[in-house]
């Protein structure tokens, strides 16, 4: 006889897509979000390769958000956002609100793994603050050490601007730049032709 | 989500080591008076102040924060008469407006810390471009070339100084791996009678 499927642990959770504007903020939310954090978050959500990779958390008993205030705030009120809905007492809701992020923050970093991942992934633009944070974390968790070296105190000669890889077909677009550089006394301007793409 | 504090502190170890080098060498007398131009979260100097005796510390930032006015520190340095002997410009943007203002109004031997260039460093002000003799208004250059070109501008901006100033020492801190951001310390003094 087939075994009856095990009942899910209580309280039950379900996922729904709900308009961001209809999600009520939690008055006890203690987390504040900087513009940089919101920009980074918006950038990730708007990245077509990523989109929603996390959900908001809602307590249906109180009708309040427990997690996801930042995600809710970076989209228009009519945007449908993924919401994980549960049912908790007010006391339990407060405990979740208080501990959800700190529990995640208690994780330690494996500096080597982190460094490898950082080298593999390009975080720029709005994600730059995250990159800086992770670089700092990788350094502080690893055996990072810095060296201080003296700098030669001489302005570099104005004769070393060399432009390489300028496609002939698009040379006209940079003519002004080349002329500007070439106008500096003693400057050597070299160009070769190839089909390298120009992205500006 | 928890707030990620503003971190212009990628490579914090390098930044700290650079500052320690200059503090040990020029400010061991405990008379350092610091102007932290881009205080942010204040991580760097709260650490350093736990290690070194300093006479005064004033942290400002263009972004206001509780207990701190939003002040553009370039405007402080552009006014002659500031008395700090350590100027820290750990900025996301170009440090050169600060640097040029320090050079113009230098009145005593001073240590300056500059954070120059960022990843994908492809912008530079006309002021810095001009120092290198580049006067075109708009350059359409491949990104890789533009990054290299603009990277070189750091040397022009750093070492093109007026005759009234002498560079005593310049040093750079690194982490032993490639990094587009440069962490530079420069000790300068006015030339001639004070």
């Amino acid at each position: 006889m087939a075994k009856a499927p095990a009942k899910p642990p209580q309280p039950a959770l379900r996922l729904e897509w709900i308009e961001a504007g209809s999600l009520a903020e939690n008055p006890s939310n203690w987390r504040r979000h900087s513009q940089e954090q919101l920009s980074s978050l918006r950038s990730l959500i708007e990245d077509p390769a990523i989109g929603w990779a996390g959900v908001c958390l809602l307590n249906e008993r109180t009708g309040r958000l427990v997690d996801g205030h930042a995600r809710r705030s970076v989209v228009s009120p009519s945007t449908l956002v993924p919401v994980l809905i549960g049912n908790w007492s007010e006391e339990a809701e407060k405990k979740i609100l208080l501990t959800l992020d700190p529990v995640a923050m208690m994780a330690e970093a494996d500096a080597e793994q982190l460094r490898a991942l950082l080298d593999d992934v390009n975080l720029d633009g709005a994600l730059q603050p995250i990159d800086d944070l992770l670089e700092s974390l990788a350094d502080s968790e690893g055996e990072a050490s810095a060296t201080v070296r003296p700098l030669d105190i001489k302005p570099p000669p104005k004769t070393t601007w060399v432009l390489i890889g300028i496609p002939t077909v698009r040379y006209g677009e940079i003519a002004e730049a080349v002329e500007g550089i070439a106008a500096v006394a003693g400057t050597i301007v070299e160009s070769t032709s190839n089909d390298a793409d120009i992205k500006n | 989500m928890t707030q990620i504090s503003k971190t212009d502190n990628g490579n914090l170890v390098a930044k700290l080591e650079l500052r320690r080098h200059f503090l040990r060498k020029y400010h061991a007398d405990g008379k350092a008076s610091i102007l932290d131009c881009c205080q942010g979260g204040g991580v760097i100097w709260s650490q350093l102040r736990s290690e070194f005796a300093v006479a005064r510390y004033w942290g400002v930032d263009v972004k206001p924060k509780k207990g701190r006015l939003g002040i553009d520190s370039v405007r402080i340095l552009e006014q002659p008469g500031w008395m700090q002997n350590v100027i820290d410009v750990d900025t996301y943007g170009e440090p050169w407006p600060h640097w040029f203002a320090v050079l113009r109004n230098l009145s005593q031997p001073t240590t300056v810390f500059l954070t120059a260039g960022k990843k994908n460093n492809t912008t530079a002000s006309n002021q810095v471009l001009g120092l290198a003799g580049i006067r075109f208004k708009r350059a359409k250059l491949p990104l890789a070339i533009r990054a290299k070109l603009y990277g070189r501008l750091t040397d022009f901006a750093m070492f093109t100084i007026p005759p009234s100033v002498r560079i005593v020492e310049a040093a750079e801190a690194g982490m032993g791996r490639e990094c587009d951001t440069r962490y530079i310390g420069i000790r300068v003094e006015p030339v001639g009678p004070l």
Side-chain angles (χ1 to χ4, degrees):
Chain A
M1 205 171 145
K3 211 175 172 184
K7 282 188 178 177
Q10 297 296 322
L13 291 170
R14 66 180 190 280
L15 181 69
E16 289 184 14
W17 288 79
I18 299 175
E19 282 191 0
S22 69
L23 296 169
E25 285 189 20
N26 196 310
S28 301
N29 180 31
W30 55 278
R31 293 158 294 197
R32 297 293 175 264
H33 306 289
S34 68
Q35 281 308 312
E36 278 147 349
Q37 185 190 13
L38 295 175
S39 297
S40 298
L41 184 58
R42 189 179 295 115
S43 165
L44 286 166
I45 291 172
E46 289 175 355
D47 183 339
I50 298 175
W52 290 96
V55 296
C56 300
L57 189 63
L58 182 81
N59 183 4
E60 69 179 343
R61 196 180 302 181
T62 62
R64 296 176 195 141
L65 268 180
V66 185
D67 190 34
H69 291 81
R71 276 163 283 190
R72 171 190 169 279
S73 72
V74 297
V75 297
S76 71
S78 60
T79 303
L80 290 174
V81 301
V83 182
L84 198 58
I85 301 170
N87 192 316
W88 298 280
S89 69
E90 207 156 324
E91 191 186 0
E93 177 185 292
K94 283 182 180 170
K95 194 178 269 187
I96 298 168
L97 191 65
L98 201 56
T99 57
L100 204 60
D101 284 342
V103 165
M105 287 159 62
M106 287 167 77
E108 291 179 359
D110 180 319
E112 207 172 313
Q113 288 272 42
L114 177 57
R115 173 63 55 207
L117 199 55
L118 271 172
D119 290 345
D120 220 24
V121 179
N122 184 28
L123 299 176
D124 55 11
L127 302 180
Q128 186 68 53
I130 299 178
D131 189 59
D132 286 348
L133 179 75
L134 293 172
E135 289 279 1
S136 177
L137 184 63
D139 289 343
S140 62
E141 294 290 324
E143 298 290 315
S145 64
T147 52
V148 177
R149 66 176 181 87
L151 286 172
D152 191 14
I153 309 170
K154 281 181 186 172
K158 297 178 182 179
T159 56
T160 54
W161 301 122
V162 179
L163 306 181
I164 300 168
I166 300 164
T168 309
V169 288
R170 301 185 68 174
Y171 183 82
E173 292 184 14
I174 63 153
E176 190 187 357
V178 173
E179 283 163 16
I181 294 166
V184 179
T187 300
I188 300 164
V189 177
E190 296 174 2
S191 66
T192 60
S193 60
N194 63 29
D195 292 322
D197 188 23
I198 294 182
K199 291 175 185 172
N200 282 301
Chain B
M1 295 180 72
T2 301
Q3 177 178 357
I4 295 172
S5 58
K6 177 177 170 63
T7 56
D8 197 7
N9 290 322
N11 294 317
L12 181 62
V13 176
K15 291 181 185 181
L16 287 171
E17 205 47 42
L18 180 72
R19 284 154 180 78
R20 288 182 186 123
H21 169 82
F22 281 90
L23 286 172
R24 277 187 215 112
K25 197 162 177 180
Y26 299 105
H27 302 280
D29 57 3
K31 292 179 181 171
S33 176
I34 296 130
L35 175 62
D36 190 355
C37 293
C38 311
Q39 188 188 36
V43 175
I44 294 173
W45 281 99
S46 52
Q47 174 63 36
L48 292 170
R49 286 162 72 195
S50 72
E51 299 175 23
F52 295 88
V54 304
R56 282 185 199 84
Y57 170 82
W58 184 23
V60 301
D61 203 296
V62 74
K63 285 189 179 177
K65 183 175 136 179
K66 194 173 180 183
R68 180 182 74 196
L69 288 172
I71 297 175
D72 183 354
S73 44
V74 176
R75 300 179 74 169
I76 298 171
L77 296 171
E78 279 174 345
Q79 306 295 321
W82 43 266
M83 296 304 294
Q84 287 83 0
N85 56 15
V86 176
I87 310 294
D88 196 329
V89 192
D90 182 28
T91 176
Y92 262 116
E94 275 194 352
W96 309 122
H98 290 83
W99 172 236
F100 299 145
V102 167
L103 293 177
R104 270 198 301 277
N105 295 313
L106 191 72
S107 63
Q108 62 178 325
T110 300
T111 303
V112 186
F113 298 109
L114 305 168
T115 298
K118 297 301 293 182
K119 282 184 177 171
N120 304 318
N121 178 22
T122 53
T123 59
S125 66
N126 286 338
Q127 192 179 16
V128 175
L129 285 168
L131 278 178
I134 299 171
R135 314 216 182 279
F136 47 83
K137 289 179 188 165
R138 186 162 167 265
K140 280 203 161 194
L141 299 172
L143 274 179
I145 292 176
R146 196 163 35 156
K148 279 205 182 285
L149 184 76
Y150 288 175
R152 296 294 304 276
L153 296 178
T154 299
D155 290 336
F156 282 102
M158 202 165 32
F159 294 137
T160 306
I161 58 170
S164 58
V165 175
R166 185 175 85 86
I167 294 179
V168 178
E169 180 186 358
E172 178 169 4
M175 302 288 292
R177 58 180 158 77
E178 198 174 335
C179 179
D180 290 336
T181 304
R182 297 179 68 183
Y183 306 111
I184 297 158
I186 309 180
R187 177 73 174 174
V188 284
E189 65 182 18
V191 175
L194 295 175

